[in-house]
Amino acid sequence: MTPVTTERAEGVVFQALIDLVEDESLVRSETTFEELKIDSLDLVEVQQIVEEELGIRLLREDLKELRTVGDVVTLVVGRA
């Protein structure tokens, strides 16, 4: 399995979010989920994609603490 680098984690997380939002130009590390209009169900979908694509398991409790796109990437890399 390919190692999970920051760049790889960003690619998977960004693509998952781009598929969920209307304006993909808003998907940046500093963007909040509120700005993207991402709700908890959308985050569960991102969680599933991260697990399928990268083999990294994120807990639902973890998702409650996340506020920005960068927070997700940091969590994924930390769990790798």
Side-chain angles (χ1 to χ4, degrees):
M1 181 175 246
T2 307
V4 179
T5 62
T6 300
E7 293 77 19
R8 185 158 180 243
E10 280 180 351
V12 170
V13 171
F14 279 41
Q15 188 59 55
L17 290 168
I18 286 169
D19 291 343
L20 294 171
V21 300
E22 292 179 23
D23 184 357
E24 68 181 61
S25 70
L26 294 175
V27 179
R28 298 181 311 274
S29 290
E30 65 276 1
T31 306
T32 66
F33 298 125
E34 186 176 318
E35 292 171 308
L36 293 174
K37 296 181 175 68
I38 296 291
D39 63 19
S40 59
L41 292 176
D42 294 327
L43 281 179
V44 169
E45 190 169 334
V46 171
Q47 172 192 25
Q48 291 171 339
I49 291 168
V50 165
E51 190 165 345
E52 289 171 12
E53 296 284 325
L54 301 174
I56 305 293
R57 184 155 189 246
L58 303 179
L59 305 174
R60 291 203 174 153
E61 297 82 45
D62 296 330
L63 300 180
K64 294 177 186 177
E65 304 299 318
L66 303 174
R67 300 288 174 246
T68 68
V69 175
D71 290 345
V72 179
V73 173
T74 299
L75 178 62
V76 169
V77 172
R79 290 276 167 87

